[in-house]
Amino acid sequence: MLETDRPVTAANVFALKYATRLLEVELSHRRSLARLELRPGRDLVDELVSGMDGATARVRTEALGYDISGPQHVIVAEWQPPRTDDTVVVALRRTLLELRSSALVSRRADMAVAVVRGDPLGAEVFSVVARTLRTATGAMGIGGPSLDVAQIPRSFSEALQALHIRAGSIDRYGVTRFDQLGIYRILETAGGEPDLAGYVDEWLGNLQRADASRGSDLVQTLAQYLDHGGNYDSTAESLSIHRSTLRYRLKSIRQISGFDLADPETRLNLHVATRAWRLRPHGAPFHVP
């Protein structure tokens, strides 16, 4: 009507008003359907992240067509300014559908919560949600994998910890996975308990298991190497071994752990982990089986 030179008639105005009312009815209908789709999973998500027995969870999730078997991750997301409606929930739900990730999505106060089957992509999830909301002023946390229903609350707690650390950092907008926290995992955050055993296992677990099966001293070698600032001579002397033996052990450490000992952040985490490893009770292995 606006792009033509023809005069606007009363019939045109009537048709426009009628079409507007039809559109209002259709949009209202779609909003109602969206609320109905979200409502069945809302209570279920709350119960899963709070703690739920496996048998009940299987029955409830099957009724919604969701597969609770296999690894599950919990995602939490909040946007600024805080949203008191379902906009972040809807955006997260659409994002996971777009990424072909099966999920149950709910809202807790100003925060969206999702239980996702499989391993969700971190950066891609955030970028798609930000694009949907047309703003990147948000933070997301992704918990570690839960291999059964009983572990979902733990993944939720980890997701909250990752979210709080991201939101409290200099670069507070973006996504953080719990398995990327490094040294932050053993610090007190948001009233949570430090995950010292998990932290040590993440950085030294493979080496400890290799030592246990081979009778080697790779963890002790690494600890001395880091304590001596990477100096070959002083490290070899403290261990009473030859430089060539030390070089061979360090090569094995790199291969077994998969870590780059030249990376500063990796060295920091390994050094802290070896210091914590020395505190293990009565010389017992300090790792998660």
Side-chain angles (χ1 to χ4, degrees):
M1 290 172 63
L2 295 176
E3 294 177 356
T4 65
D5 296 329
R6 297 178 183 178
V8 177
T9 65
N12 293 143
V13 174
F14 173 80
L16 183 59
K17 289 182 177 179
Y18 185 71
T20 301
R21 290 178 181 176
L22 287 177
L23 182 59
E24 289 175 349
V25 172
E26 176 63 20
L27 290 176
S28 177
H29 176 63
R30 292 190 180 187
R31 280 194 294 268
S32 298
L33 287 178
R35 292 192 189 100
L36 286 173
E37 289 177 354
L38 290 172
R39 191 173 300 139
R42 178 161 293 160
D43 292 340
L44 179 55
V45 170
D46 287 341
E47 292 182 49
L48 285 171
V49 300
S50 298
M52 192 177 192
D53 69 273
T56 303
R58 282 190 292 273
V59 173
R60 297 275 301 280
T61 53
E62 284 178 6
L64 293 178
Y66 182 78
D67 187 359
I68 198 65
S69 65
Q72 310 282 329
H73 289 72
V74 176
I75 299 178
V76 293
E78 59 183 15
W79 246 249
Q80 300 298 329
R83 312 294 179 93
T84 57
D85 57 14
D86 284 330
T87 53
V88 179
V89 175
V90 172
L92 181 57
R93 188 169 183 267
R94 289 177 178 173
T95 294
L96 293 169
L97 285 172
E98 182 177 329
L99 298 177
R100 301 181 183 277
S101 294
S102 180
L104 296 170
V105 188
S106 179
R107 176 166 62 90
R108 280 193 166 195
D110 300 333
M111 180 173 59
V113 181
V115 176
V116 186
R117 189 173 190 274
D119 191 8
L121 300 175
E124 192 170 358
V125 170
F126 179 83
S127 63
V128 177
V129 172
R131 185 184 70 216
T132 302
L133 294 173
R134 298 183 180 180
T135 171
T137 58
M140 298 177 65
I142 302 179
S146 56
L147 303 182
D148 57 53
V149 173
Q151 295 180 350
I152 291 179
R154 187 259 305 149
S155 182
F156 176 56
S157 177
E158 293 172 351
L160 287 176
Q161 184 175 351
L163 173 68
H164 291 147
I165 289 175
R166 164 62 71 171
S169 64
I170 296 176
D171 185 14
R172 60 177 182 156
Y173 298 137
V175 59
T176 297
R177 295 177 62 112
F178 181 76
D179 55 16
Q180 297 173 334
L181 290 181
I183 194 172
Y184 288 103
R185 286 177 59 177
I186 63 173
L187 301 178
E188 289 281 359
T189 55
E193 292 296 326
D195 182 25
L196 184 58
Y199 177 81
V200 172
D201 185 68
E202 177 184 349
W203 291 97
L204 301 178
N206 289 338
L207 296 178
Q208 289 184 91
R209 285 181 275 275
D211 282 346
S213 63
R214 302 177 180 181
S216 55
D217 290 311
L218 296 180
V219 178
Q220 176 65 17
T221 299
L222 177 61
Q224 291 293 329
Y225 174 74
L226 295 171
D227 281 350
H228 288 86
N231 184 283
Y232 273 56
D233 290 330
S234 58
T235 302
E237 183 179 352
S238 68
L239 293 169
S240 301
I241 59 176
H242 195 271
R243 276 176 58 98
S244 60
T245 303
L246 174 61
R247 190 175 294 109
Y248 174 78
R249 289 187 186 179
L250 291 175
K251 180 180 179 181
S252 297
I253 288 171
R254 293 186 183 96
Q255 291 175 340
I256 294 171
S257 68
F259 294 132
D260 178 9
L261 300 184
D263 179 70
E265 185 171 350
T266 298
R267 286 170 70 101
L268 171 62
N269 281 287
L270 286 171
H271 204 174
V272 173
T274 56
R275 291 293 180 91
W277 169 80
R278 286 182 169 131
L279 301 177
R280 65 200 188 283
H282 308 296
F286 197 167
H287 66 81
V288 177

